[in-house]
Amino acid sequence: MRKILSYPTQVIKHRLLKWLDRRVPASSEHHLNLNSIFVLPTGFGWSFILLSICLFLLGTNYQNNLMLLLSYLCLSIMLLTLFYTHQNFARFAVKALPLHSFHCNQSGELQLHVLPHVNSPNKPCHGTLTFGWFGPHRSSTQFHGTQSFTQSSDALSKTTFSIPLSGNAFNKNSQRQTLSVPVYITSRGRYMLNRLTIACDFPLGLYKCWTHLDFDQSVTVYPQPDDGPVSIEHITDNEESNSSSETSNANSNEDFYALNDYEPGQPLNRVSWKHVAKNGNWVSKSFTSRQSESYVLSIDSSIDTETAISALTLATIKLTEAEQNFGLSYKGIVVPPNKGINHMHNCLNALACFGKPESARQDSQRNGYSKIRAVK
Amino acid sequence: MTRNINAGLAKFNIYNTFVNQPRAMALLLLCLSFSSILFTLTAPLMTWVLVLGSCAVMARIVGLSSTHSLPTLRTVNLLAILAVFALTWFGFSIGLLDSMINLLAVACSLKVMVVDKKRDFNLLICTCLFLIGCGFISSLSVFAWFGYTVILAFLLISTAMYHGAGISLKKNIKFVSILILQAAPIALLFFLLIPQLPPLWQMPTSKSTETGLSDKVTPGDIASLATSSELAFSATFESDDVIPAPAYRYWRAMTLEHFDGKTWSISDKRKQAEQQLAIMNKPTPLSALESSNAGTVIPYEIIVEPTQQTWLFALAPSTPDNSTNSIYVSGLFDYTLRANTPISSKKAFYLRYFPNAPISNSIGNFETQLNLDVSTNGNEKTRAWGVQLAQQYGSAQEIVMAVMTEFKNGGFRYTLSPNAMPTDPIDQFLFEERSGFCAHYAGAMVYTLRSAGVPARMVTGYQGGSSLNERVLQIRQYDAHAWVEALIDGVWLRYDPTSMVAPSRLTFGLEQALEELGESRNTNILDGLEKSAFFAAVQTWFQQLDYSWSKWVLGFDNAAQTSMLEDLLGTITPEKMRAVFLSALGLIGLILAFYFLPISKRESLPYSYRIMLKAVKLVELHTGIKREHKTLSDYRYDVSPVLNSEAAVAFDQVCELFERENYAIPDTEKHTELVMKEALNTLKKAIK
């Protein structure tokens, strides 16, 4: 029922987005102008107009010219404020910084640099900006199931954030202001950020100026890290054996480095049994310079895909923290062993995009257009 | 000691809150504006509403600092319920209009205590603006307008503080002042050109503010009016020759034909007769006069202060010029004028005075009978005197003259504060006290004449008027007067017994007359001040200002609007009106363009920046590659292959100099600019 009702609005939204794409093309930097700004009175503005009309009626009925004058003065102020509001907002220029990846159900941050506007480099834009993402989140039932979850993400996508501007004049003394806008996405994948609605009601709150800007930013949303039965296969460089004869070369070319909390999935030979015996804490020893050793993370393919991917994500993060050499092997994903932050991002990227392009396309076909468009 | 420190801290906190939080400042300003609005509305507001309002404002201001807590929502809701009960209880006695104003003020006071969301704040601003509108119902002077505009400005500043994050108070004050100054011409244009409509429906009027004459006169009433020097109305004539001499300035308002032994009032019988005649569609004597072309006609305009009553004041006989009056004025059969709606604001009326036309006995025998009716309730001596006069003299004329002579020679005294005469007032006045005010004389004379068989009635209105300038007379409340009309040979003739007792009352006005008699109209400390020349000059200036305000702003009605347009355009046709409205819209557009189009945008840029922009423009024109948002060095890289070598070198030079000037420490500024200019010129030549 809800879907039937929402269908026409989806079509309208689709049209609107197409029109917006022509009118306000995507760019990482925007200098607002006549094309990109929309203005309408706010609720306060409408009540102000209503008030002026009431004063006019009162003045007419009492044949009271002062009341009429007051009413006309209010109307003129309303008229002038329209231009002031637009003039102020038309001085707003902003540039988006590349977006960092984040895990789903966590919030990422879109960093926006406030710039001096090309047309009025000396005059700043004032007021409190209100940010909100244009349109609701996609209902991502395919991956994270329940209806309530979708609704909560809808509510989150509608929340707005207010940030007061400190003035973005071209002034060598002052620091440029950076605005951070939270991005909240509930399912993994690679996304194009949708349009960001920025609104401002400076100076009197009688009008709302707003714009829908496409910053042309893409972001990879990593899967949610979670516990799971990850199997860690140990491989050595010389490919002689992959047995668990760890103890034999435990003292060969590695130095004891530190004690960490034991994480499930770590080889048992790393556990410091002394500590376990003494106070029951499972502590694992870590060693430096383990170049020669690497692992491959994998998981039983009978386990649900999302659970598996979440488990692999957690394992990837942990192993990177432990500065291990590792690779991934799960269904279609094969990442050769390596180490370091970049490697972790590669792995997480692979995990995030696993199985996504097809499903995302289906989604967009089914749901029309949504806040976040998945891309390859 | 600790308490002192605490108090000091609290003060410091409040101060800090105001300075650091724009919203607190906005609320403080709102509270100030609201309390000043309350202060101006003391007349319609009940005392408890005022107290509630000021308490709410105090609570809010104290509550702005974190050390004090505001009343909870529960307390405010409880207060609201109590207030609703109180309002309904008092509502019946104070009338609809005042109840509405009280209701608004109460709602505003309660909301002030719980304002926390943007919505609440906006609602408060709107309510305050509406209260300002209500303030204009009773205060119409220039000063009221000025004061309310200042309050409006405060409200706008408060709104600006609330919505403009962190803009300083000073900047907001500047912005709002400019905004109001810019809005004023547009508002004026609206005022001049939007058609002035007649009242769309009947509005409730305020009960308490009925002023001026009343339709019942008990001798002594007019004396109380005499203490007020408020303006009653002003009359504007076309030139100073046609203004009647002081002794003939009788502004007739009502005829009081019924007397119950103490009080004179408009006769119920006459009211009924008027109604019947109106139903029968009988033409009134004034409409007959209008069409008769009888002698000279003097057109004049009166601007009446709000009285909340319907009667008008006119030189008798005058006919209304209803083609220009915004409120229809009807003439009655006793030659008095009534407006169709109570006069609730300063209003201009256009009248035509026929100095030579008589006031005839328009309803014949009915009127004669009505004015021979002698109340037999007491006053026996007077009735006996009347009968005696009738026997003594043959004609009505002689009887009247005898009474007048008696007033002149009988040792009567004119005074503002006669002794109270509770029983048989006329007997007591004529035969014992022999001192009184105009209403005593007029009442006694009418009673005597009726007893003597001469139809007579009491007429109330104003007599006199001081000239503001050569064309304008101002009539104040202390000019209120009562006189006598006697029906002799079918014509009502005016007799003024007061003129027998105090001749200077007619020619020089009340103040002079009282002064001669050793009395003063009012006793206050300002008396000495009023006599000084400076004070008099200031007072005259204010009166002039008030008159101009009344005439040009308050009195600007449909007629004035039409005549203004006719002066501008000649006869008005629909096509012309259309052109006027279109050009008005165009004018508003022009004003807006004047305000907002960036004229001197480039001027504010630094010189080097301007040269750089010029150079970029030249290159853009020449190469067709737009710079858009590229950095200067990127753009240079893009265009350098397209330019010829000389131009490329010159452009590079301009760019480098600009960058050095703006991003490095500038060493010899003048020199750099000159070099830049030269480079620009080279670029120009090279491109050509």
Side-chain angles (χ1 to χ4, degrees), chain B residues 300-304 310 312 321-322 324-329 338-341 343 345-351 557:
Chain B
Y300 63 105
E301 176 199 355
I302 58 170
I303 301 169
V304 184
T310 56
L312 291 174
D321 188 0
N322 276 324
T324 45
N325 285 338
S326 60
I327 295 179
Y328 187 83
V329 177
R338 294 284 184 280
N340 268 13
T341 53
I343 300 156
S345 69
K346 273 198 189 188
K347 210 73 231 161
F349 292 94
Y350 301 88
L351 306 172
D557 51 12

Side-chain angles (χ1 to χ4, degrees), chain A residues 27 29-31 42-85 87 95 117-130 162-166 170 172 176 200-206, chain B residues 97 118 122-123 125-127 129-130 132-134 136-141 145 149 152 156 159-160 163-165 167 171 175-176 178-180 182-184 186-188 190-191 194-201 203-205 326-327 344-347 549 553-557 588 592 595-596 601 604-606 609 628-629 661-663:
Chain A
S27 157
E29 186 174 330
H30 286 278
H31 292 250
T42 55
F44 181 38
W46 287 118
S47 33
F48 201 80
I49 293 174
L50 195 70
L51 173 95
S52 307
I53 293 171
C54 284
L55 280 174
F56 176 78
L57 287 178
L58 203 68
T60 304
N61 281 340
Y62 280 110
Q63 293 283 297
N64 190 318
N65 279 344
L66 295 190
M67 266 189 241
L68 289 179
L69 260 176
L70 182 70
S71 144
Y72 297 149
L73 193 65
C74 285
L75 277 179
S76 320
I77 285 171
M78 191 74 199
L79 185 66
L80 286 174
T81 315
L82 169 67
F83 289 88
Y84 274 113
T85 314
Q87 192 185 41
K95 182 183 183 174
H117 195 282
V118 277
N119 291 335
S120 62
N122 290 319
K123 286 187 177 162
C125 169
H126 294 291
T128 304
L129 295 181
T130 313
S162 294
I163 305 169
L165 278 178
S166 62
F170 187 68
K172 285 171 201 163
R176 278 184 193 170
C200 178
D201 63 357
F202 186 84
L204 292 181
L206 292 172
Chain B
L97 177 68
K118 208 179 211 181
N122 293 342
L123 196 71
I125 294 282
C126 285
T127 323
L129 279 174
F130 200 78
I132 291 183
C134 292
F136 282 134
I137 294 177
S138 51
S139 341
L140 292 158
S141 66
W145 167 251
T149 311
L152 173 74
L156 288 176
T159 322
H163 291 96
I167 306 288
K171 273 191 180 164
F175 166 71
V176 168
I178 291 176
L179 183 69
I180 288 183
Q182 286 182 336
I186 301 178
L188 196 67
F190 280 146
F191 181 66
I194 291 183
Q196 294 258 351
L197 301 174
L200 303 175
W201 63 83
M203 294 298 276
T205 50
S326 60
I327 295 179
S344 53
S345 69
K346 273 198 189 188
K347 210 73 231 161
W549 178 255
V553 179
L554 304 178
F556 186 80
D557 51 12
I588 290 174
L592 288 174
Y595 291 157
F596 291 104
K601 189 177 71 187
S604 57
L605 296 176
Y609 201 98
E628 286 167 341
H629 305 319
E661 167 103 5
N662 282 281
Y663 303 113

Side-chain angles (χ1 to χ4, degrees), chain A residues 181-196:
Chain A
V181 182
V183 183
Y184 191 84
I185 299 173
T186 52
S187 63
R188 67 190 171 81
R190 189 160 172 75
Y191 293 97
M192 244 356 240
L193 284 191
N194 202 3
R195 288 178 177 271
L196 177 67

